[in-house]
Amino acid sequence: MECDNIYQQARRKILKHSLHKKNIILVKNKNWQVGFIGIVASKLVEEFSRPVIVFAGQEDYLKGSARSVDGINIYDAIMGAKEHLLGFGGHS
């Protein structure tokens, strides 16, 4: 239920701000539960066929979960911005 709520909120934000027309979709809400953002990112990639990073609140900072489409290495893309991050990990 909570996962569906987060997905619907994220989807509304994406459509309202035309984020689905960008090369990559970044969406955030400090009130979203971190445990659901990976599932939400996967659903959004399926719907919009773009790489997606979903950010949620975690103490005094945001934590993100990224998913991508075939042919785009999201890990390499994030690596290019590593100086702006507290940390990251994962795979292509």
Side-chain angles (χ1 to χ4, degrees), residues 9-91:
Q9 290 175 37
R11 188 177 183 283
R12 282 192 296 272
K13 261 187 187 193
I14 290 165
L15 295 173
K16 178 180 179 180
H17 299 287
S18 298
L19 301 176
H20 59 290
K21 296 179 180 179
K22 305 284 186 182
N23 292 332
I24 184 169
I25 296 171
L26 304 172
V27 64
K28 71 174 176 87
N29 186 316
K30 274 196 97 134
N31 297 318
W32 291 341
Q33 292 182 24
V34 172
F36 295 111
I37 60 176
I39 297 166
V40 170
S42 292
K43 289 174 133 182
L44 293 170
V45 167
E46 286 178 24
E47 181 171 354
F48 295 108
S49 301
R50 301 213 169 348
V52 175
I53 304 177
V54 178
F55 295 95
Q58 183 165 348
E59 299 174 16
D60 293 333
Y61 58 93
L62 295 174
K63 182 173 182 178
S65 188
R67 300 293 185 272
S68 193
V69 294
D70 286 341
I72 298 177
N73 185 322
I74 196 74
Y75 183 86
D76 286 347
I78 294 169
M79 178 70 106
K82 69 181 180 181
E83 68 273 6
H84 303 288
L85 306 172
L86 296 175
F88 75 99
H91 52 85

